């Protein structure tokens, strides 16, 4: 401002001079701002055109005399030059505002001249710049500690310089613009200046550890004519945490016993934070930020969080859910290893298994022994796919061994575990076929048969016809009641009649009894006479042909069944469900 003003004034002066062409004295050159090093000479320029008056100089509004060796006319002989040499300039004597003056050309002409003041500055190098923060000087190597997000006011001063130093700020290489620079004359040494620059610095986390420099420029400094002051920004901030080492696929396939997991809670914070882990809200005794689960166990499953804390505060929590998978294991099957149930009653078998993911259940009935050593029996169909097996109306063919298999999937693999067997015994009175039929040729042996199922086994059985009763086993005359052949809890009773006669054709009743009750089964015997052989043979041939076809079908079906259920196992599946079928059963071995 000051210099600009001076310039304006000066050009105004010269303009006035140039326009007066009537021989009035005027300035041809005005003194300007001049700097000089201590002890050196300074030339203050002042030239007049049409000079008629007498030159003189003022410094700080006081007249200056001409003294040889100190203040000398620069060009004594020139009629127009008032320039002045200041020899061996010193701060105390010569620094100040100088004016070139000229007396009027005559006492009645008002053309005396006085130049605007021009400063002569005798240079004094300022002290090295220093940084101030929060009212105290920052020593070299010392930090400025600022919380992130706040604004810090940093001051740099370069004192006792003339002219005042020019101050710049740098953050690393980046030039920052200062709020303001003020130049104030030093109280105890009025000729020199304290230059102060104030910087408003917005502290961000990224500025942490960066160097802040204040640079004071002054021509009296040695080359490169500036000096720096440094400090480092120590930006403090509340910690931030993140969990490392937990990629999605690792987490999805954690299996008990075989996987290991190492997690790191990475915490950034200044001052350096204290880090801790919690599991389901309970603080874990980890040694610092590492959480090592090797190998992982099912009780490692849970919600983990890590947090960090420093003097500024506590971080948000970083979370991670750990779900450790493990194969199923049947822990209980019941109600007991042997279950006794009444015929037609309701039976519920229950299976409990642990496993993660929670297992699914399958029940198998009498699987073949080769397939059920472990896992899901191959080629068998489950009788139920829930943890509870409910048999609402239990029949003899449902007796036998039941296995529960618990299955889950880990990764892409099925894992399973099979329970111990539960043996189901169905207890009840004998149950058998409805009235059957038997055929014989007269003169041949007739065989009257009936099959019943019972558990416990029949205690007593007898054949009844007319007024006769024949206990099993016993014989009266031509009639012989033989011991039953037992298969799978079912019993085939036979009454043999030797040399059957037409009079033997009648209804025979089998009476069977066990601890639970009794039942009666009527079988009608038909005796065919040989005279009517011709039509009979014809029909017998047709029947035989049919029988062959049926037998073949039955054999095929039985073979299939036998592949699944070898005879070593007890099976009643053919009984209660199929006893209406009066056909012979070629697939059942008859031990007689
Ligand atoms: C400034 O200094 C005072 C005392 O030296 C201290 O209590 C205060 O926390 C400091 N303020 C900042 C922003 O550093
Ligand atoms: C202070 O001094 C410097 C250097 O001489 C100058 O650039 C600046 O304009 C001055 N500031 C004020 C407010 O006078
Ligand atoms: C200065 O701050 C930096 C960055 O925060 C830090 O590494 C260094 O230890 C601090 N130095 C002092 C002396 O405090
Ligand atoms: C997890 O179970 C193992 C034994 O299976 C035990 O030694 C350990 O202390 C348990 N850990 C936790 C956190 O319960
Ligand atoms: C159970 O089954 C038997 C034979 O299939 C049948 O006679 C009986 O009515 C059934 N009982 C119930 C309660 O369903």
């Amino acid at each position: 401002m000051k210099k600009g003003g001076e310039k304006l004034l000066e050009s105004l002066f010269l303009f006035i001079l140039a326009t007066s062409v009537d021989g009035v004295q005027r300035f041809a050159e005005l003194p300007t701002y001049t700097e000089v090093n201590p002890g050196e000479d300074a030339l203050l320029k002042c030239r007049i055109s049409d000079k008629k008056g007498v030159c003189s100089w003022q410094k700080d509004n006081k007249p200056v005399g001409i003294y040889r060796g100190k203040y000398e006319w620069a060009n004594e002989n020139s009629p127009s030059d008032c320039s002045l040499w200041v020899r061996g300039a010193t701060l105390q004597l010569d620094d100040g505002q100088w004016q070139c003056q000229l007396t009027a050309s005559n006492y009645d002409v008002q053309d005396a001249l006085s130049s605007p003041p021009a400063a002569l500055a005798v240079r004094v190098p300022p002290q090295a710049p220093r940084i101030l923060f929060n009212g105290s000087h920052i020593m070299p190597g010392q930090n400025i500690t600022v919380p992130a997000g706040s604004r810090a006011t940093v001051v740099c001063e370069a004192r006792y310089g003339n002219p005042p130093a020019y101050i710049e700020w740098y953050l690393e290489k980046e030039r920052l613009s200062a709020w303001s620079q003020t130049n104030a004359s030093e109280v105890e040494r009025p000729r020199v200046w304290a230059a102060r620059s104030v910087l408003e610095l917005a502290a961000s986390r990224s500025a942490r550890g960066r160097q802040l420099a204040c640079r004071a420029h002054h021509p009296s400094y040695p080359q490169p004519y500036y000096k720096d002051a440094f400090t480092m920004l120590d930006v403090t901030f509340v910690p931030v945490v993140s969990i490392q080492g937990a990629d999605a696929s690792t987490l999805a396939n954690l299996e008990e016993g075989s996987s290991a997991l190492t997690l790191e809670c990475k915490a950034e914070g200044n001052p350096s934070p204290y880090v801790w882990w919690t599991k389901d809200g309970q603080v874990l005794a980890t040694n610092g930020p590492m959480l090592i689960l090797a190998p992982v166990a099912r009780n490692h499953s849970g919600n983990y969080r890590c947090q960090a804390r420093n003097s500024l505060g506590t971080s948000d929590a970083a979370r991670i859910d750990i779900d450790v998978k493990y194969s199923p294991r049947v822990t209980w099957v019941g109600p007991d290893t042997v279950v006794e149930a009444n015929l037609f009653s309701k039976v519920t078998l229950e299976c409990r298994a642990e496993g993660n993911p929670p297992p699914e259940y399958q029940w198998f009935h009498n699987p073949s022994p080769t397939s059920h050593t472990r896992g899901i029996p191959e080629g068998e169909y489950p009788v139920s796919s829930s943890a509870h097996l409910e048999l609402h109306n239990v029949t003899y063919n449902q007796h036998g061994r039941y296995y529960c298999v618990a299955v889950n999937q880990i990764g892409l693999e099925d894992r399973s575990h099979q329970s111990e067997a539960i043996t189901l015994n169905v207890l009840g009175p004998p149950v058998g076929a409805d009235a059957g039929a038997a055929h014989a040729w007269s003169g041949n042996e007739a065989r009257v048969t009936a099959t019943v199922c019972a558990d416990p086994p029949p205690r007593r059985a007898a054949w009844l016809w007319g007024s006769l009763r024949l206990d099993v086993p016993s014989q009266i005359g031509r009639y012989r009641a033989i011991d039953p052949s037992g298969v799978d809890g079912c019993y085939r009773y036979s009454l043999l009649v030797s040399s059957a006669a037409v009079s033997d054709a009648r209804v025979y009743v089998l009476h069977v009894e066990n601890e639970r009750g009794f039942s009666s089964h009527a079988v009608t015997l038909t005796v065919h006479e040989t005279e009517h052989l011709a039509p009979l043979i014809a029909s017998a041939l047709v029947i035989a042909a049919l029988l062959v076809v049926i037998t073949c079908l039955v054999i095929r079906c039985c073979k299939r069944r036998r592949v699944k259920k070898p005879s070593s196992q007890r099976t009643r599946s053919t009984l209660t469900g199929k006893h209406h079928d009066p056909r012979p059963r070629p697939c059942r071995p008859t031990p007689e």
Side-chain angles (χ1 to χ4, degrees):
M1 273 310 289
K2 193 173 161 194
K3 270 188 184 158
E6 271 173 21
K7 280 249 162 63
L8 196 73
L9 214 62
E10 194 182 306
S11 44
L12 195 68
F13 256 84
L14 294 175
F15 175 74
I16 294 166
L17 299 185
T19 46
S20 54
V21 289
D22 53 352
V24 175
Q25 59 181 4
R26 54 197 156 82
F27 283 111
E29 186 177 9
L30 289 164
T32 54
Y33 173 78
T34 308
E35 273 182 30
V36 63
N37 289 329
E40 290 178 355
D41 299 344
L43 179 63
L44 300 174
K45 287 194 177 162
C46 180
R47 283 193 303 111
I48 318 289
S49 60
D50 296 325
K51 174 173 169 256
K52 297 180 183 93
V54 178
C55 287
S56 72
W57 283 85
Q58 272 199 346
K59 173 185 167 261
D60 296 336
N61 297 323
K62 299 226 173 77
V64 176
I66 299 298
Y67 304 94
R68 180 146 299 278
K70 183 61 188 172
Y71 304 122
E72 297 173 354
W73 295 115
N75 213 341
E76 221 169 341
N77 303 323
S78 160
S80 63
D81 199 344
C82 294
S83 299
L84 184 74
W85 276 112
V86 176
R87 303 287 185 192
T90 69
L91 183 70
Q92 287 73 26
L93 296 177
D94 308 314
D95 190 89
Q97 302 292 330
W98 292 74
Q99 283 172 287
C100 172
Q101 295 179 328
L102 192 66
T103 57
S105 39
N106 206 338
Y107 65 89
D108 56 354
V109 185
Q110 294 285 305
D111 63 352
L113 296 175
S114 186
S115 76
L120 171 64
V122 179
R123 287 180 188 139
V124 178
Q127 293 177 349
R130 292 203 290 179
I131 293 173
L132 288 98
F133 178 64
N134 195 15
S136 55
H137 282 113
I138 302 298
M139 297 301 151
Q142 205 180 330
N143 281 345
I144 290 179
T145 302
V146 197
S150 70
R151 297 185 79 82
T153 304
V154 190
V155 176
C156 178
E157 62 179 22
R159 297 185 64 179
Y160 305 110
N162 189 41
Y166 172 65
I167 296 174
E168 286 177 336
W169 290 95
Y170 291 90
L171 186 61
E172 302 284 335
K173 297 267 174 282
E174 179 199 353
R175 171 96 193 263
L176 303 176
S177 43
W179 176 253
S180 66
Q181 178 178 339
T182 55
N183 307 316
S185 72
E186 300 281 1
V187 178
E188 71 275 33
R189 288 168 62 187
R191 292 281 162 209
V192 290
W193 302 84
R196 283 198 177 82
S197 178
V198 180
L199 178 71
E200 283 272 324
L201 188 68
S204 66
R205 264 180 64 183
S206 61
R208 181 186 177 193
R210 293 174 79 181
Q211 195 181 57
L212 181 69
C214 154
R215 174 168 293 179
H217 294 266
H218 198 275
S220 307
Y221 280 146
Q223 257 191 325
Y225 309 114
Y226 61 74
K227 288 187 179 179
D228 290 331
F230 298 107
T231 186
M232 199 180 274
L233 289 180
D234 184 23
V235 180
T236 58
F237 53 94
V238 175
V240 178
V241 293
S242 59
I243 294 173
Q244 315 261 305
D247 60 288
S249 81
T250 307
L251 287 181
N253 295 305
L254 286 176
E255 186 175 355
E256 179 170 61
S258 64
S259 311
L261 190 63
T262 301
L263 299 177
E264 187 189 354
C265 182
K266 203 153 183 287
E268 281 183 68
N270 186 20
S272 87
Y274 168 75
V275 179
W276 74 98
W277 282 92
T278 61
K279 174 182 181 248
D280 300 327
Q282 302 277 308
V283 175
L284 291 177
T286 55
N287 200 355
M290 305 303 287
L291 177 68
I292 299 168
L293 307 175
V296 293
R298 66 189 66 185
N299 61 3
H300 291 142
S301 291
N303 176 258
Y304 288 76
R305 290 150 60 106
C306 87
Q307 276 182 286
R309 181 176 62 215
N310 68 9
S311 54
L312 272 76
T314 303
S315 71
D316 287 340
R319 294 145 206 274
I320 190 166
D321 281 318
I322 291 179
D323 185 27
V324 178
K325 311 287 195 299
Y326 52 95
S327 300
R329 195 173 70 83
V330 175
T331 53
W332 189 80
V333 275
D336 215 330
T337 48
V338 176
V339 175
E340 308 218 311
N342 288 329
L343 186 68
F344 304 142
S345 68
K346 179 178 165 179
V347 175
T348 303
L349 304 182
E350 190 189 341
C351 182
R352 289 183 209 148
E354 58 184 19
N356 187 22
E360 293 182 348
Y361 297 87
Q362 292 188 334
W363 283 94
F364 291 92
H365 181 207
N366 289 335
S368 81
T370 52
S371 64
H372 71 80
T373 45
R374 64 183 181 84
I376 303 173
E378 275 171 44
E380 304 279 344
Y381 293 101
V383 291
S384 170
S385 294
S386 72
H388 291 86
L389 171 63
E390 298 204 338
L391 305 172
H392 290 284
N393 184 5
V394 91
T395 54
Y396 285 122
N397 62 358
Q398 287 175 314
H399 103 138
R401 286 164 302 113
Y402 287 84
Y403 293 91
C404 161
V405 177
V407 188
N408 72 4
Q409 211 184 34
I410 297 176
L412 293 172
E413 255 178 76
D414 276 337
R415 306 295 177 91
S416 61
H417 182 244
Q418 185 184 283
S419 70
E420 295 298 311
I422 295 183
T423 304
L424 176 64
N425 288 326
V426 180
L427 302 178
V431 170
D434 291 336
H439 294 270
W441 295 108
S442 79
N444 286 5
E445 184 186 68
R447 177 179 285 253
V448 178
T449 62
T451 304
V452 295
C453 301
D455 194 358
R459 185 165 58 176
R460 198 178 300 149
W463 289 97
L464 309 167
W465 70 96
S467 58
L468 284 175
R469 175 191 171 99
L470 186 59
D471 285 330
V472 177
S474 64
Q475 183 168 11
I476 309 177
R478 292 186 297 120
Y479 302 97
R480 187 156 61 102
I482 59 171
D483 268 327
S485 59
V487 174
D488 267 341
C490 293
Y491 305 87
R492 186 157 123 131
Y493 287 88
S494 300
L495 175 67
L496 305 180
V497 184
S498 55
S499 311
V502 176
S503 59
D504 290 323
R506 53 158 64 243
V507 172
Y508 295 82
V509 175
L510 175 68
H511 187 90
V512 187
E513 191 184 321
N514 73 356
E515 284 86 344
R516 298 286 174 132
F518 61 88
S519 63
S520 299
H521 312 274
V523 186
T524 308
L525 174 66
T526 314
V527 178
H528 304 283
E529 295 200 52
T530 32
E531 290 99 89
H532 309 111
L533 212 55
L536 270 176
I537 284 174
S539 56
L541 280 177
V542 173
I543 290 170
L546 275 173
L547 274 177
V548 165
V549 170
I550 290 168
T551 310
C552 287
L553 287 175
V554 170
I555 284 172
R556 270 185 63 190
C557 127
C558 287
K559 265 189 183 162
R560 256 197 230 147
R561 194 168 299 166
R562 233 181 256 162
V563 170
K564 284 191 219 157
K565 301 183 182 180
S567 55
S568 65
Q569 272 178 260
R570 298 199 300 163
T571 315
R572 295 184 185 174
S573 55
T574 49
L575 291 170
T576 41
K578 295 183 186 158
H579 63 257
H580 301 274
D581 184 0
R583 282 190 324 245
R585 298 177 177 279
C587 54
R588 288 220 171 276
T590 41
E592 313 158 279

